[in-house]
Amino acid sequence: MKRKPNTETAAAAPARAVTKEDVARAAGVSHITVSRVINTPEKVSPETRARVESFIASMGYIPNMLAGGLASRRTRIVAAIVPTISHSIFAETVRGLSEKLSEQGYQLLLGQTNYSEMEETALVEAFIGRRVDGLVLTGVQHTARTRQRLKAAGIPVVETWDLTDTPIDMLVGFDNHAAGRAMGDYLIGKGYRRLAFIGGEDPRGIARFTGMRDAVLAHGAREPVHIKIPLGSFLRSGRDAIGSLLRDHPEVDAVFFSNDVIAAGAALECIRREIRVPGQIALAGFANLELAPEVTPALTTVQISGHQIGLNTAEMLLARFNGQHVAQPVCDLGYSIIEREST
């Protein structure tokens, strides 16, 4: 006796995924042509490309980019590693990267180190293991193991947000020490003599402090106060740090913060305490983030172009992916002082 089909089981069975061969049959082309439409569309006639893309869309086909990448040694994925995604200081760089890479069909993976070099090493190894085509790092300070892994991987690498004479491969950034010195010169030039710096102990923040300190001492002013805050903490740390500074160093008349978010937290605390800015104390930030001109009073800051860092980094990577020589592997985008009401 024939058994009746189990309709409940049949209904619960998942539908079969649409394959490249299914698209090829529907479009009346070979599966190689479908692959070319996906990976090298410029090699396919516009009419055939439009027909295949139409069937890809209507059938809901999602290419297995990993399988194709393993065959061609190209995954069309770039990984970027940043210290934090908890605020906007690195967001513009990620946006610039994503915009330029996506134009050429590349996708961006993002990793967060929480300012830990060991975590950066773990992320580098994980991304290399997933066969990314290129890597973007923040800063130029890395563990020996990270450098070893990157050299062995043989893929394009771009370091960002800093400068060095010995990059791993390519670099897009600016001189943090020089930017800090420029802010020190600016504040001294405005007549401030009792300065302080508030920021974390990451290498770029320390470079900004030492730059400011060098400028202050060169002008004959006294050693600036240095208040260190936990890495990765910003608005609240800015509020807490300015409170401690006002209590322990009431003589300070100007403060340079390692980024605009910390400075904004300090500005909010000054409003709460009815401390006049810049009448009683001047505040200056770093990065010229979107919030800098919106704070009351608007923040004087060091302007750097995080978005341009992302764009230039993507252009370098794309050139290397296409087998082109990068004539200037080190790109210094510079900085400038943006004066506003807070100083």
Side-chain angles (χ1 to χ4, degrees):
M1 186 177 78
K2 292 184 178 180
R3 297 180 63 182
K4 292 183 179 181
N6 188 332
T7 55
E8 290 185 1
T9 301
R16 182 178 66 85
V18 176
T19 67
K20 181 166 55 180
E21 287 72 19
D22 294 333
V23 174
R25 280 193 294 270
V29 299
S30 69
H31 73 276
I32 294 175
T33 299
V34 177
S35 295
R36 286 176 178 162
V37 169
I38 295 168
N39 297 311
T40 55
E42 69 279 2
K43 295 182 178 180
V44 184
S45 69
E47 297 79 9
T48 300
R49 177 181 173 183
R51 184 167 74 255
V52 172
E53 288 178 340
S54 174
F55 279 102
I56 287 174
S58 64
M59 297 174 71
Y61 172 59
I62 300 176
N64 184 343
M65 301 305 291
L66 180 59
L70 289 174
S72 65
R73 299 187 64 82
R74 183 71 62 85
T75 61
R76 303 188 81 84
I77 295 174
V78 171
I81 299 176
V82 297
T84 179
I85 58 173
S86 65
H87 66 87
S88 58
I89 190 166
F90 299 107
E92 284 299 293
T93 296
V94 172
R95 183 170 71 88
L97 263 172
S98 181
E99 286 174 357
K100 184 63 68 173
L101 290 172
S102 64
E103 291 175 2
Q104 301 298 320
Y106 285 83
Q107 300 299 317
L108 186 67
L109 289 180
L110 193 62
Q112 174 181 262
T113 67
N114 293 309
Y115 292 90
S116 165
E117 289 186 6
M118 296 305 297
E119 184 61 27
E120 180 188 62
T121 298
L123 286 167
V124 164
E125 292 178 346
F127 286 140
I128 289 174
R130 284 159 177 77
R131 302 298 190 268
V132 297
D133 291 341
L135 266 167
V136 180
L137 307 178
T138 304
V140 297
Q141 302 290 328
H142 317 286
T143 66
R145 179 165 173 163
T146 291
R147 291 179 176 276
Q148 179 188 46
R149 293 292 187 269
L150 291 170
K151 293 289 187 182
I155 60 175
V157 176
V158 184
E159 295 164 283
T160 62
W161 277 77
D162 212 341
L163 281 184
T164 179
D165 294 330
T166 56
I168 293 172
D169 184 9
M170 299 176 287
L171 186 150
V172 181
F174 54 91
D175 189 329
N176 282 280
H177 182 276
R181 183 159 193 142
M183 180 57 78
D185 287 335
Y186 166 80
L187 292 172
I188 291 293
K190 294 291 290 185
Y192 302 107
R193 288 295 182 272
R194 298 176 297 279
L195 276 60
F197 179 89
I198 295 176
E201 292 190 83
D202 63 291
R204 294 167 301 283
I206 293 296
R208 293 163 202 164
F209 164 68
T210 57
M212 185 196 82
R213 181 189 62 193
D214 290 348
V216 169
L217 296 179
H219 285 284
R222 72 184 195 180
E223 177 86 16
V225 175
H226 187 187
I227 294 183
K228 302 169 186 177
I229 63 172
L231 290 170
S233 58
F234 298 104
L235 270 174
R236 180 171 292 279
S237 288
R239 297 182 66 168
D240 293 343
I242 197 70
S244 298
L245 183 72
L246 292 168
R247 181 190 66 235
D248 300 333
H249 302 278
E251 75 284 359
V252 167
D253 57 6
V255 189
F256 177 33
F257 297 84
S258 63
N259 69 58
D260 290 337
V261 184
I262 306 171
L268 291 171
E269 183 65 10
C270 286
I271 291 173
R272 191 183 73 81
R273 295 182 179 223
E274 298 183 345
I275 301 294
R276 289 178 292 108
V277 178
Q280 292 173 259
I281 191 167
L283 308 177
F286 188 95
N288 195 31
L289 300 178
E290 185 179 9
L291 60 74
E294 306 303 327
V295 174
T296 303
L299 281 173
T300 291
T301 187
V302 178
Q303 175 170 303
I304 53 93
S305 179
H307 185 251
Q308 194 62 48
I309 289 174
L311 293 175
N312 285 29
T313 296
E315 289 172 357
M316 284 182 170
L317 289 170
L318 291 169
R320 290 281 293 278
F321 295 158
N322 293 326
Q324 300 169 1
H325 174 67
V326 177
Q328 292 184 309
V330 174
C331 177
D332 181 357
L333 291 176
Y335 55 85
S336 60
I337 303 294
I338 302 296
E339 182 177 45
R340 297 193 178 100
E341 290 84 358
S342 68
T343 55

